[in-house]
Amino acid sequence: MNNTLLSHLTVGEKGRVLSLTLPADARQRLMEMGLTPGTECSVVRFAPLGDPMELRVRGYHLSLRKAEAEGVAIERL
Amino acid sequence: MNTLLSDANPAQEAAVLTRRLAIAGNPNCGKSTLFNALTGMQQKVGNYPGVTVEKKEGTFYGSQGQQMTLLDLPGTYSLQARSPDEAVSRDVLLGRIPGTPCPDTIIAVVDASNLERNLYLVSQILELGIPTVLALNMVDTAEEAGIVIDPEELSQKLGIPVIPLVASKRFGLIPLKQALSRADLPAPKFCAPMPPALAAEAQQIAPFIEAPAQAQFSEAILLLGLSEAALAESRHSSPELRVKIREAQQRLNSAGMDVCSTAVDARYQWISRICAETVRGTPNTGLTLSDRLDMILTHRVWGSLAFLAAMALMFFSIFTIAQVPMDWIRDGLKLFGSWVESQMPDNDFRSLVVDGIIAGVSAVLVFLPQILTLSFFLGILEDSGYMARAAFMMDRLMSRVGLHGKSFIPMLSSFACAIPGVMATRTIEQRKDRLVTILVAPLMSCSARLPVYGLMIAVLLPDTSALQKSGIMLSMYMLGICTAFLMALIFKKTILRSETPILLMEMPPYRLPSARDLLLRMKERAVIFLKRAGTVILALSILLWALITYPKPENPEAKGSEVIAHSVAGQLGHALEPIIRPLGFDWKIGIGLIGSLAAREVFVETMSIVYNVGQDQQGDGVETLQETMRNEKREDGTPVYTPLVCVGLMVFYVLAMQCLSTLAVVRRETNSWRWPAFQFVYLTLLAYVGTFIVYQGGKLLGWQ
Ligand SMILES: Nc1nc2c(ncn2[C@@H]2O[C@H](COP(=O)(O)OP(=O)(O)OP(=O)(O)O)[C@@H](O)[C@H]2O)c(=O)[nH]1
Ligand SMILES: [Mg+2]
């Protein structure tokens, strides 16, 4: 089972985006920020209170909430 | 040279000479830095996304001396704008703002260390068909990260000039100006390759779109990608067009295409191909300095401690370092006041100059060093990149309230002044969230409160250590923050109910704040402060003096309090007294409260004038304001400024909305008087209730 959700990755883990199951607007925004299917990303850290999380994607750092990350299917790398 | 030319044929030459340029790009890629470098202006820069929220115009001269006007725009990740500031950028680029024609040339700024995401917007800009120059900024950061970009190759692939830059070090400006000065700058003929079905539908819709012919196709792609709700909100589409779009979307959907994501995906695929051929080098994968810093600064325990420690250090400096120049200013102004007093005959005019103007204005001026210290520390927060981290850490709490972490950035900006704070809310996508943030922003203690806190702390605890004073100051700031959260929660649950917005925020790397930027920031604060002192505060001090002095009591022998009691201000204060007595305030404080309706620091000024005019023996300018206040007695001989009254006054000023300028900006930003009126009423009530609880509660507990 190498496929999981982005929100389930732990700090330091890497994954490749498979698909996004989110409301249209949220999906589009995530994709515009570079989280398109096929993109690799890794989890940098979680905020002190556990949410949001910080990702490294396409060479920069992006923070998003677990609620959105739950809609991103990932292949663990 | 200009005059010679304009002698020949003024109107025509000017039209030919003045080119209109616009700077567009992602947030935080260095657009304003480049704008400042080109125009010599001093627009605000800072290391977090969303510093610039308005368009700003400047001029500069091209390499052959041609005059060009340059527009600095707010950053945006996509031409599909989602917040008011992004909408400004989109509307300027599409020529939709009345009075601001479409730019002749676009400078597309990209962050070289983050090329892929930056090129997304570039792919949309190229489709506008406006001549474009790519400013490949931050090549220094990219190099450090091990990324090397081949500008020639990139230029060939994109079909536009590409100029490597380090805007912050003014490196590469000359080639950039040369490229911009070219008369034959080609208009790009570019369309991101879209899947054929989508392209065909877009082609069908394009002619119906109000936009320059070249831009119609890309606008069609954008509109096709909109969700139903977003489409209904888009102002620039007619109902017929919307029907057409919805039909096209249905056709594409039934053919199994998800329009929203297909277009985005197609652009990123194009970007990947470009980057594969132009980006060399091996990106470093190790931990950067930023990563290491974040391990501490966003750590569960150390992070919060670091934040509190930074705040504490800030207040500690306000009471230690800033104290020295404050004493100089105070002593200097006092000497000046007594000298003027000794030079003038004893009449009402002397009283106006000495007790009104000098006493009033200097009471406020004294606080300049504290305000500059505050702005120095806030500048470090803004320039280092800490703001985004603060938003990151606060997001959980903010989402409980129903906002997102980004709302914390305008709140932090409000520590300097609520006006930039209110402006900064333009980066918030949802109107209701933006309103909530605007409504609570004035609860963040701004620098105009410093004089009030400073004075009251000096009256309350004249001899304690700076550490204790900082503690009290810190708790006042905390009270403001907590109340802001509470009120935001209440608003989000009642009058401005809406879903919690999603958070998507770029976290920029930490950068070392430049001394120059910090000094510029402090200078700007100082100029604003001194201007206010020279205009509003000065005018108010004359007005207040008159209100406090006239009409005079019939008995010419009357002195001190009696004179004031008889004056207009005194009568107003007395009229207000029944209302504020439950707060422990006397009628003289009432005069201060009325005076500071316009601006908070006027409280200090008013008290200074009240106690100067009301001095029983003339001529002893030795006592400082806080000493006078400490010795002030009620009729029954008990001191007026008991600890409870001092704390109550501070709490009042934490909560009350006493700033006309903020109200005016809120009116402009919300486009109605309703919101500022509501804001004023709710904050004043809050201040009253808060102070009531402090004073009456304190008395119940047996405190003084
Ligand atoms: N290392 C480096 N830093 C830069 C360069 N150009 C700008 N910066 C820094 O990048 C940060 C962002 O600069 P701004 O000019 O405010 O960026 P902006 O694009 O106007 O940002 P927004 O107004 O938020 O859209 C600041 O801290 C600048 O000092 C550069 O070429 N190299
Ligand atoms: Mg800017």
Side-chain angles (χ1 to χ4, degrees):
Chain A
M1 255 313 279
N2 237 348
N3 292 1
T4 177
L5 298 178
L6 179 56
S7 52
H8 293 172
L9 290 189
T10 51
V11 173
E13 273 191 306
K14 252 188 165 182
R16 179 180 291 125
V17 178
L18 294 173
S19 64
L20 294 91
T21 331
L22 287 163
D25 189 51
R27 182 175 64 226
Q28 201 181 22
R29 285 189 59 189
L30 256 67
M31 288 182 62
E32 287 193 329
M33 296 300 282
L35 273 181
T36 55
T39 313
E40 284 182 18
C41 61
S42 57
V43 177
V44 179
R45 66 175 56 81
F46 290 88
L49 299 171
D51 201 19
M53 62 199 293
E54 184 177 336
L55 296 183
R56 191 179 159 82
V57 53
R58 295 187 189 267
Y60 80 102
H61 289 221
L62 175 71
S63 62
L64 79 170
R65 296 211 186 103
K66 280 185 179 169
E68 274 74 46
E70 258 161 29
V72 182
I74 287 273
E75 178 195 356
R76 239 194 217 106
L77 291 179
Chain B
M1 179 177 122
N2 249 333
T3 44
L4 275 181
L5 284 173
S6 45
D7 275 344
N9 191 343
Q12 225 179 5
E13 289 295 348
V16 176
L17 279 182
T18 310
R19 296 241 316 264
R20 303 189 50 87
L21 276 60
I23 299 186
N26 282 179
N28 209 45
C29 65
K31 297 177 298 300
S32 300
T33 312
L34 177 62
F35 177 84
N36 289 345
L38 285 173
T39 62
M41 287 168 66
Q42 285 158 12
Q43 285 307 309
K44 188 172 168 193
V45 302
N47 189 20
Y48 61 95
V51 178
T52 310
V53 293
E54 283 181 296
K55 58 182 188 345
K56 279 278 152 58
E57 198 175 288
T59 50
F60 73 102
Y61 294 91
S63 52
Q64 279 104 47
Q66 319 90 307
Q67 187 178 0
M68 318 218 187
T69 61
L70 185 61
L71 273 184
D72 185 22
L73 296 178
T76 178
Y77 292 109
S78 154
L79 280 188
Q80 185 181 328
R82 292 183 173 85
S83 53
D85 63 327
E86 294 178 347
V88 170
S89 296
R90 178 202 57 199
D91 290 346
V92 167
L93 294 180
L94 292 173
R96 277 177 184 164
I97 295 189
T100 309
C102 220
D104 310 320
T105 307
I106 298 174
I107 307 178
V109 184
V110 298
D111 171 355
S113 64
N114 183 3
L115 191 61
E116 291 186 28
R117 198 207 60 219
N118 276 258
L119 281 182
Y120 182 81
L121 178 71
V122 173
S123 81
Q124 293 180 324
I125 289 179
L126 288 178
E127 288 175 346
L128 299 177
I130 300 173
T132 301
V133 172
L134 192 81
L136 187 63
N137 195 26
M138 302 203 184
V139 282
D140 56 337
T141 325
E143 245 162 57
E144 263 168 50
I147 302 167
V148 181
I149 298 166
D150 182 344
E152 249 104 80
E153 191 73 34
L154 188 59
S155 165
Q156 236 168 32
K157 291 272 172 306
L158 297 177
I160 54 172
V162 173
I163 315 290
L165 279 178
V166 183
S168 52
K169 300 202 181 89
R170 309 180 58 95
F171 170 82
L173 290 188
I174 294 173
L176 178 66
K177 281 191 188 175
Q178 271 164 353
L180 292 172
S181 308
R182 269 172 56 184
D184 61 338
L185 215 54
K189 292 195 181 49
F190 170 85
C191 272
M194 290 290 157
L198 181 58
E201 292 286 1
Q203 213 78 59
Q204 295 270 315
I205 293 170
F208 301 96
I209 291 174
E210 275 178 66
Q214 251 289 340
Q216 282 171 335
F217 179 78
S218 65
E219 184 69 2
I221 301 261
L222 268 187
L223 288 173
L224 280 172
L226 290 185
S227 63
E228 190 115 353
L231 192 58
E233 273 174 26
S234 76
R235 282 178 295 135
H236 292 275
S237 55
S238 61
E240 300 87 66
L241 179 61
R242 262 175 255 160
V243 172
K244 279 200 174 54
I245 291 170
R246 229 161 274 151
E247 284 169 3
Q249 283 174 333
Q250 269 151 21
R251 278 195 295 275
L252 289 167
N253 276 338
S254 50
M257 180 186 289
D258 168 17
V259 195
C260 286
S261 40
T262 306
V264 185
D265 208 22
R267 287 183 197 280
Y268 269 111
Q269 280 175 17
W270 169 78
I271 291 170
S272 301
R273 286 199 296 278
I274 298 233
C275 288
E277 293 171 58
T278 54
V279 182
R280 317 244 150 81
T282 39
N284 305 338
T285 44
L287 285 182
T288 61
L289 184 62
S290 273
D291 293 333
R292 284 177 218 277
L293 271 174
D294 264 340
M295 281 182 182
I296 301 168
L297 292 178
T298 61
H299 185 269
R300 201 175 298 253
V301 180
W302 304 127
S304 335
L305 282 181
F307 182 71
L308 282 179
M311 294 268 277
L313 178 68
M314 171 163 98
F315 297 129
F316 190 70
S317 332
I318 282 176
F319 285 110
T320 51
I321 304 173
Q323 211 63 49
V324 180
M326 274 177 83
D327 289 342
W328 295 341
I329 298 179
R330 176 177 293 137
D331 294 345
L333 287 169
K334 216 186 301 165
L335 273 180
F336 177 67
S338 355
W339 177 77
V340 172
E341 196 168 17
S342 67
Q343 297 299 307
M344 291 173 77
D346 183 4
N347 55 19
D348 275 11
F349 186 63
R350 182 178 84 171
S351 169
L352 166 65
V353 173
V354 177
D355 301 333
I357 297 175
I358 297 181
V361 174
S362 54
V364 175
L365 270 189
V366 163
F367 291 95
L368 180 63
Q370 289 195 338
I371 286 170
L372 291 186
T373 314
L374 181 80
S375 111
F376 172 80
F377 276 92
L378 289 178
I380 291 185
L381 289 191
E382 296 196 334
D383 289 352
S384 62
Y386 188 77
M387 293 294 254
R389 272 73 188 183
F392 178 69
M393 287 190 287
M394 295 304 287
D395 180 71
R396 189 65 204 276
L397 283 177
M398 299 290 284
S399 67
R400 286 275 167 80
V401 169
L403 298 172
H404 56 44
K406 270 201 233 168
S407 284
F408 196 60
I409 293 181
M411 289 168 74
L412 275 181
S413 307
S414 301
F415 277 155
C417 171
I419 293 172
V422 169
M423 297 295 294
T425 61
R426 289 189 180 191
T427 58
I428 297 172
E429 298 90 358
Q430 305 296 327
R431 192 180 146 269
K432 288 185 174 172
D433 299 333
R434 185 168 173 232
L435 273 173
V436 171
T437 315
I438 289 178
L439 285 178
V440 302
L443 282 166
M444 310 302 280
S445 287
C446 63
S447 54
R449 263 116 152 176
L450 267 185
V452 181
Y453 298 163
L455 177 66
M456 295 326 296
I457 291 176
V459 175
L460 176 68
L461 298 168
D463 304 317
T464 44
S465 67
L467 207 59
Q468 251 172 328
K469 291 181 178 171
S470 324
I472 296 180
M473 197 76 121
L474 188 61
S475 44
M476 288 303 139
Y477 275 71
M478 285 299 165
L479 174 68
I481 299 179
C482 294
T483 317
F485 273 39
L486 185 70
M487 292 317 295
L489 182 68
I490 293 175
F491 292 139
K492 271 294 275 202
K493 290 267 146 45
T494 55
I495 52 173
L496 292 164
R497 194 185 320 209
S498 60
E499 273 179 41
T500 304
I502 76 165
L503 172 91
L504 270 184
M505 186 178 56
E506 181 184 358
M507 310 278 279
Y510 285 105
R511 293 199 176 95
L512 195 65
S514 84
R516 185 170 170 271
D517 282 348
L518 285 175
L519 284 176
L520 275 178
R521 227 175 256 267
M522 289 165 72
K523 193 195 98 189
E524 198 186 353
R525 257 294 125 226
V527 168
I528 295 177
F529 181 79
L530 293 176
K531 257 197 198 146
R532 256 167 92 108
T535 52
V536 183
I537 307 281
L538 180 70
L540 276 173
S541 68
I542 297 174
L543 178 71
L544 284 168
W545 173 85
L547 291 178
I548 289 168
T549 311
Y550 299 108
K552 296 208 165 172
E554 277 120 56
N555 170 15
E557 293 300 300
K559 280 266 177 261
S561 294
E562 227 176 301
V563 179
I564 305 176
H566 200 263
S567 69
V568 177
Q571 286 168 23
L572 280 177
H574 277 295
L576 193 64
E577 193 168 27
I579 307 177
I580 57 174
R581 196 176 297 131
L583 310 182
F585 298 168
D586 71 350
W587 59 275
K588 286 185 183 167
I589 298 179
I591 300 179
L593 296 185
I594 297 172
S596 61
L597 276 179
R600 298 179 176 92
E601 63 268 42
V602 177
F603 175 77
V604 175
E605 173 184 40
T606 316
M607 295 330 272
S608 173
I609 300 176
V610 165
Y611 290 119
N612 260 287
V613 175
Q615 246 165 35
D616 286 323
Q617 346 61 319
Q618 283 290 324
D620 73 330
V622 194
E623 259 189 348
T624 58
L625 180 56
Q626 58 253 37
E627 283 162 359
T628 318
M629 286 172 73
R630 221 172 304 124
N631 296 332
E632 181 73 2
K633 300 273 190 300
R634 285 177 204 268
E635 267 144 39
D636 60 8
T638 55
V640 175
Y641 295 96
T642 61
L644 265 187
V645 171
C646 291
V647 174
L649 255 175
M650 280 193 274
V651 169
F652 187 90
Y653 276 89
V654 170
L655 304 174
M657 171 82 220
Q658 288 174 305
C659 182
L660 283 183
S661 339
T662 305
L663 287 172
V665 169
V666 172
R667 135 84 240 188
R668 196 185 69 200
E669 293 293 301
T670 59
N671 252 323
S672 94
W673 276 112
R674 239 182 53 204
W675 290 111
F678 171 72
Q679 192 175 31
F680 178 78
V681 171
Y682 105 79
L683 284 171
T684 308
L685 281 178
L686 200 63
Y688 189 88
V689 173
T691 315
F692 185 88
I693 294 174
V694 168
Y695 185 70
Q696 299 295 343
K699 277 216 314 207
L700 277 182
L701 292 175
W703 290 329
Q704 275 238 309

